[in-house]
Amino acid sequence: MGIKINALKCTNCMACEMVCSYHRDDGFAFLSACIVSYRAKEKKDYFGMMLKEEDVLVVARPEGLEINKIGEEADPDKEADASAKPMLLREGCDLCEDMDDYGPMCVAFCPVDAITLD
Amino acid sequence: MEYLSTDKILVIDLNAGQVEEDELDESLVEEKIGGIGITRYLYDKYRQDDPIVIGTGLLTGTTYPASASGQITAKSPVTGKVCHCPVIYKLGVEIKYSGYDYIVVKGRSESPVYLWIHDGVADISDAADIWGKNVWEATDELRTFVGDDLLQTMMIGPAGENGSDYAQVCFNHWSSPDRFGFGKLFGAKNLKGLAFRGMGLIEIAEPEDYVEQSLEILKQVKENDFIQKKGLAQILSALGEEDVVEWIQPVTHRHSADYFTPYATNTYLFLDEESGLLEESKKEEPGVLVSDIYALLGFKKAGLSAVDAGRALKACAKYGIDPFAVTQLSGKTTLDEIKDCFDSIKGEIEIPGKGLFTPWCPTGPIFNDFDLAGEDETLAWWERRQAVSMIFGIQPLFSLMCPELTEENMLELASLGTDLELTQEILDAVIDDILG
Ligand code: SF4
Ligand code: SF4
């Protein structure tokens, strides 16, 4: 079981990022999210999602999915943007196993259902 | 103020080049709630220094749906009234997470400066290198200088530096809801802009209940038909401008939403690139992000093609001038004439009702009817809705779409979030105060 992201449906609202961080921090922040919207290329309107799983970094680009094994991907500049770098230090997706009432928070809160449980 | 807050008010004295911090007293929140309730209070407190007061709503940057926006409260150099401009995109949230709930900028600097606000630290910085540059250049330069492409800016361009009446404060590279000439005010203060970045943490009094209630409200919001739609053209179509949909479609790239906002209120137009391109464009500046429905419509009505309308909007965003004022006051009908006329825009645009809120927002509901009858009732509803959105920090277009975002549930979440008893009576008093 895992998280599936439809980057073309995504509207770059950051709701998933906020609730993912909340499930770890118990406060509102963006610090600990293992799912983030990359949005640094706003002048080109190029945005999508990144998800850190235990061993891989999933980059959901508009043109398709890219899966990078963590450790083998040495050049963070090759990632969607600078957010990839701090993400590598964060804990991987645990499918919100401690959030009994919700299940995966990002799935529950994505307003346009761009994230689903696979 | 412990919860839903950074607990800090920043007071910047441009005359003296000094930065001070005040605490945000809980008693002020109990009396004025937040957002423009407090920016208006701070404006009055520092009135003799002609302040610009920037703030965020009490719910801004949380899980309450569409809790995206901040506010700028200042005296409009165009209308002479103290007005409130919403801060949209992701900028409102960045302000709060940069470490301050409210920022008062008073006085005038001797030489051009910008304010760099990050992680609870504020600096007045020399703007010599970016003064004279357009909004895009200045934003790019600051991002390069700081080494962070996620830096969020409030910036003026040549229009503001030259003292144009309709100079606009732009957000990042894009036009804003500023119809009040706040860009002229920035320019008069020798203030090129503000840059924000922050990784703060906001505490919540009752986190579990707050998040649970947020999700309940979001589920109700998602029952709306508009949830299947995206972008500006659909909003204009719902307002009776159906032709826009076909006109704009060939240059429409993607739609994006403000923070946590369930409807994508921004549409990106590809002007020098195939609109169907999914990969990252190799061009540096392939288009423009548009949030101003009436400016887009104004250029269409002037007879411009969709591509030229996009180019005109891009030129306005770079120059830092209100594109809607250009459509209404220039009388120009070709792209070249439009690009040449920015320094000569003069005249008045109508600010509805009491003149406090921006007509960047339609003056009635969008997609839903909210059970309103007649023009007077609609206008009164609109002004109240604007006030409420800007007290709590709700994306102002979205609040016109979404009946499920009620004063009652905003108050409920504000109380859960802060542990204060924030009642309808308090909210009514704050609104009365704002509306005068
Ligand atoms: S399932 Fe939970 S941990 Fe995984 S990305 Fe979503 S919110 Fe984060
Ligand atoms: S919540 Fe959904 S729409 Fe918003 S950024 Fe995440 S995936 Fe995209």
Side-chain angles (χ1 to χ4, degrees), chain B residues 350-359 361 363 379 382-383:
Chain B
E350 198 194 328
I351 309 284
K354 298 187 167 72
L356 307 176
F357 303 117
T358 174
C361 281
T363 48
L379 186 61
W382 179 77
E383 289 204 295

Side-chain angles (χ1 to χ4, degrees), chain A residues 7-16 18-19 22 25-31 37 39-48 61-63 80-81 83 90 101-102 105 107-113, chain B residues 61-63 90 93 97 136 140 143 149-150 152 172-174 199-202 204 207-208 210-212 215 218 222 227 230 253-260 262 268 270 278-281 283 285-286:
Chain A
L8 281 178
K9 245 186 169 186
C10 169
T11 57
N12 198 21
C13 75
M14 298 171 68
C16 52
M18 164 55 72
V19 293
Y22 164 79
D25 293 331
D26 266 349
F28 293 142
F30 300 95
L31 288 169
S37 67
R39 56 195 171 94
K41 308 218 169 149
E42 60 171 304
K43 258 162 85 182
K44 299 183 175 194
D45 198 33
Y46 187 70
F47 60 86
R61 300 175 185 276
E63 67 268 33
D81 72 359
S83 357
R90 295 179 187 176
D101 298 342
Y102 297 96
M105 297 286 281
V107 175
F109 275 87
C110 177
V112 294
D113 298 333
Chain B
T62 69
T63 50
K90 316 286 195 289
V93 177
Y97 285 88
W136 290 36
D140 288 345
R143 285 183 174 179
D149 285 337
L150 294 178
Q152 304 289 298
N172 292 351
H173 302 94
W174 319 119
M199 297 296 260
L201 183 130
I202 304 290
I204 318 124
E208 282 165 26
Y210 190 103
V211 172
E212 190 185 321
L215 185 57
L218 180 64
K222 286 172 78 171
I227 214 79
K230 285 179 182 176
H253 185 231
R254 296 178 74 187
H255 310 284
S256 57
D258 291 0
Y259 168 78
F260 229 111
Y268 199 97
F270 259 1
L278 294 180
E279 289 85 18
E280 182 182 342
S281 172
K283 307 219 164 94
E285 297 178 356

